[in-house]
Amino acid sequence: MALCPVSAEVIHQVEESLDEEEKETMLFLCRDVAENLAPPNNVRELLGTLSERGQLSLATLAELLYRVRRFDLLKKILKTDKAAVEAHLCRNPHLVSDYRVLMMEIGENLDKSDVASLIFLMRDYTGRGKVAKDKSFLDLVIELEKLNLVAADQLNLLEKCLKSIHRIDLKTKIQKYAQSGQGAGSNYMNSLQASLPNLSIKEPVYNSRLQNGQSKEQRFAEHLHVQRQPVKTSIQESGAFLPPHIHEESYRMQSKPLGICLIIDCIGNDVEYLRRTFTSLGYRVHPFLFPSADEIIKILHRFARLPQHRDYDSFACVLVSRGGSQSMMGVDQAPSGFSLDYVKSIFMGDACSTLRGKPKLFFIQSYEVFSSQLEDSSLEVDGPAIRSLDSKTLHPPGPCMVHREADIFWSLCTADVSQLEQPTSSSSVYLQNLSRQLEQERKRPLVDLHVELMDKVYAWNSRVSSKEKYYLSLQHTLRKKLILST
């Protein structure tokens, strides 16, 4: 089959011929190859953009129609057939990963009651209200991927839940997939092979190469019955992977002070010991107690513009407030807030050039307010928006430029806001353990240290009620090993 570009007319014919379930499946199958794009609104937009970027050919479009079992459209629109597509797939890399095909096939074999049971079981890991009851299995998988609970080489949690609902047939299907070695990397083309990635801290790109031995991260994962993905590799703006030896390099962490540490605490239970911890690490600490949302944004902008960052090796920020998983509030009475994505954008390489190439650490404790008002009324603030950019925008002048979203360490913990309504509300379990580990184990890589922190939080959750649990996640775009004390 020729690798010809796909015309708009063909894309239109395909999109018009698919039903809604087939469109949803196709969008899911293309999540890896489209990870550098703005989230597409529909199949036509997805296929059109991929075609414009040279990532879609008649052969790969045929593969997608084959995956959703529209063999009639293979013949009617692409003038080929099932046997020809199968022969092509045997000889060439696939657009769609074997993992995505596996998830699609599992979803096809689950009825509505099975999916409802899985969504309920996953509440122990995703928190309340993360996945609506009426969502599909593929919607559930997407949410679990965002939380780093499911991935191509990370399927133990799904196996466990399938066993719990007595779908041993599908559990066996996952085991066969894992035994075939497909979880360690499969013969497919992802977007990194085709175009420059718009590196997203929400959906980080991970290195699928297996490491020898068993790390503490893996041991912790087994304790959770979840296989976690290996630490993410970095991507330069050229779009190429860095050489293998880069993973052994460390960030320079020798300046005095090590950097500025902002502590913004709208609750008031944690600021004193956090100040001691980060001061002992060598940071110049600036605490702010009980600011409004508007004041928080002004503080962040003011500190992002400080020329002193030029002389320092890193930056740290601790945020403690009420909020949600995507936004936070100040001490304002009204439920208005600010987007956490916007906080990141203020310190990205294009907005804060004095911190470009240096690690930027964020530790966030959000006491979750379960209200649609919070997400709907977050502040509209002036400044650089987070959006998908074309490759020209991502290539500023000068050699060896670092991607705008690189070098960010993002630790986010959510807990029920009812914990603050008790007569004697106490410090955050997450921040207490974080502070202790930063003081006692500062010579260890920060990612490894955080894995043990997650273990401690999990141990806490295992012995308390649901209202007292903490939900901790880590996403990062670090390009090197980060050790806070050399």
Side-chain angles (χ1 to χ4, degrees):
M1 296 178 64
L3 296 175
C4 302
V6 182
S7 68
E9 181 182 0
V10 168
I11 290 173
H12 176 74
Q13 287 179 318
V14 168
E15 196 261 351
E16 288 284 300
S17 303
L18 298 173
D19 62 31
E20 290 307 312
E21 186 175 346
E22 289 164 344
K23 291 175 183 177
E24 178 192 359
T25 301
M26 194 171 286
L27 287 168
F28 175 82
L29 292 173
C30 290
R31 280 183 67 82
D32 299 320
V33 76
E35 64 192 353
N36 63 309
L37 307 176
N41 295 314
N42 51 55
V43 166
R44 181 188 301 177
E45 183 179 314
L46 169 72
L47 298 180
T49 305
L50 292 178
S51 181
E52 289 171 5
R53 297 191 173 202
Q55 292 175 257
L56 186 75
S57 65
L58 292 176
T60 51
L61 179 58
E63 178 188 342
L64 290 174
L65 292 175
Y66 173 83
R67 297 301 185 194
V68 298
R69 296 177 175 81
R70 288 304 303 267
F71 308 127
D72 58 324
L73 299 183
L74 289 175
K75 183 174 291 187
K76 178 182 175 182
I77 299 176
L78 301 186
K79 313 303 180 187
T80 187
D81 56 28
K82 177 182 175 184
V85 176
E86 289 174 342
H88 178 82
L89 292 175
C90 287
R91 298 190 303 267
N92 297 278
H94 304 170
L95 179 74
V96 179
S97 69
D98 296 318
Y99 156 70
R100 298 233 167 253
V101 174
L102 173 69
M103 294 298 101
M104 179 195 75
E105 292 176 349
I106 289 174
E108 289 174 338
N109 286 280
L110 293 169
D111 59 31
K112 288 186 177 180
S113 64
D114 288 332
V115 175
S117 297
L118 286 173
I119 290 173
F120 179 79
L121 288 170
M122 293 296 182
R123 288 178 59 177
D124 287 343
Y125 302 89
T126 62
R128 293 180 297 172
K130 293 289 185 182
V131 184
K133 294 178 181 178
D134 60 344
K135 293 297 185 179
S136 69
F137 174 72
L138 297 185
D139 290 325
L140 172 62
V141 172
I142 290 170
E143 188 59 43
L144 293 172
E145 288 175 343
K146 291 178 180 178
L147 297 171
N148 293 333
L149 293 172
V150 164
D153 58 351
Q154 186 179 335
L155 294 170
N156 278 13
L157 174 60
L158 186 55
E159 277 189 65
K160 177 185 174 183
C161 292
L162 287 170
K163 181 180 178 181
S164 296
I165 66 170
H166 310 294
R167 291 306 304 266
I168 305 302
D169 56 326
L170 299 180
K171 178 178 181 290
T172 303
K173 193 177 184 72
I174 291 177
Q175 290 173 331
K176 289 180 179 178
Y177 160 85
Q179 290 166 1
S180 71
Q182 292 167 315
S186 55
N187 184 33
Y188 78 99
M189 300 178 294
N190 66 21
S191 62
L192 299 179
Q193 296 168 302
S195 68
L196 174 72
N198 179 22
L199 189 59
S200 167
I201 200 167
K202 289 183 176 178
E203 298 180 8
V205 181
Y206 286 84
N207 179 8
S208 61
R209 287 183 293 226
L210 299 179
Q211 306 296 323
N212 293 327
Q214 187 182 46
S215 67
K216 290 190 177 180
E217 180 175 0
Q218 290 168 315
R219 292 200 296 273
F220 164 65
E222 289 176 1
H223 179 56
L224 276 179
H225 304 290
V226 180
Q227 288 181 339
R228 298 181 62 81
Q229 293 168 311
V231 175
K232 136 180 17 116
T233 63
S234 61
I235 302 169
Q236 288 180 310
E237 289 208 338
S238 63
F241 284 112
L242 294 175
H245 70 267
I246 198 71
H247 308 297
E248 299 305 317
E249 294 182 1
S250 297
Y251 287 99
R252 181 185 186 276
M253 298 290 281
Q254 297 174 355
S255 64
K256 294 182 180 180
L258 199 55
I260 287 171
C261 173
L262 274 181
I263 299 176
I264 301 175
D265 189 348
C266 298
I267 307 300
N269 293 332
D270 304 283
V271 67
E272 288 306 319
Y273 68 81
L274 288 171
R275 185 211 301 259
R276 289 195 303 269
T277 296
F278 282 93
T279 299
S280 74
L281 289 171
Y283 283 93
R284 179 168 292 163
V285 178
H286 296 265
F288 293 87
L289 273 171
F290 311 122
S292 67
D294 218 5
E295 289 169 339
I296 291 173
I297 293 298
K298 290 177 182 177
I299 291 167
L300 293 170
H301 274 292
R302 176 158 60 89
F303 277 84
R305 297 185 184 118
L306 289 179
Q308 293 96 307
H309 293 307
R310 188 176 292 109
D311 303 318
Y312 302 154
D313 287 339
S314 67
F315 169 77
C317 179
V318 184
L319 287 173
V320 188
S321 190
R322 293 171 177 82
S325 60
Q326 302 298 324
S327 61
M328 294 188 77
M329 298 158 29
V331 293
D332 314 53
Q333 292 297 316
S336 61
F338 54 90
S339 162
L340 288 175
D341 274 344
Y342 185 74
V343 174
K344 284 185 218 132
S345 74
I346 294 172
F347 294 93
M348 285 181 186
D350 56 346
C352 183
S353 60
T354 51
L355 284 172
R356 187 182 296 134
K358 302 174 183 179
K360 295 162 278 285
L361 319 179
F362 295 87
F363 303 97
I364 300 169
Q365 174 65 73
S366 176
Y367 291 96
E368 198 159 8
V369 178
F370 295 101
S371 167
S372 58
Q373 287 181 305
L374 174 64
E375 304 298 338
D376 293 340
S377 61
S378 58
L379 288 175
E380 294 293 332
V381 288
D382 296 327
I386 296 179
R387 60 189 184 277
S388 176
L389 302 175
D390 61 31
S391 26
K392 289 181 181 177
T393 307
L394 288 170
H395 280 282
C400 302
M401 296 301 289
V402 176
H403 196 283
R404 65 189 291 268
E405 294 187 44
D407 311 301
I408 292 176
F409 183 95
W410 187 264
S411 174
L412 171 63
C413 186
T414 59
D416 197 301
V417 72
S418 63
Q419 293 195 33
L420 302 179
E421 297 164 0
Q422 303 302 319
T424 55
S425 64
S426 58
S427 298
S428 159
V429 169
Y430 156 64
L431 292 175
Q432 283 181 328
N433 281 284
L434 171 68
S435 179
R436 192 175 299 118
Q437 285 199 247
L438 288 175
E439 290 181 357
Q440 296 175 357
E441 303 182 70
R442 63 185 64 185
K443 293 185 180 294
R444 294 185 55 214
L446 185 58
V447 172
D448 293 351
L449 184 151
H450 196 279
V451 169
E452 290 197 4
L453 173 63
M454 295 175 78
D455 199 1
K456 288 179 170 63
V457 172
Y458 177 77
W460 166 270
N461 287 348
S462 67
R463 58 179 184 267
V464 298
S465 68
S466 59
K467 290 279 189 180
E468 299 172 280
K469 290 184 177 181
Y470 289 77
Y471 299 95
L472 177 57
S473 65
L474 168 65
Q475 288 116 6
H476 73 83
T477 51
L478 298 179
R479 299 172 299 119
K480 306 174 187 178
K481 184 184 297 184
L482 176 57
I483 300 174
L484 294 179
S485 179
T486 55

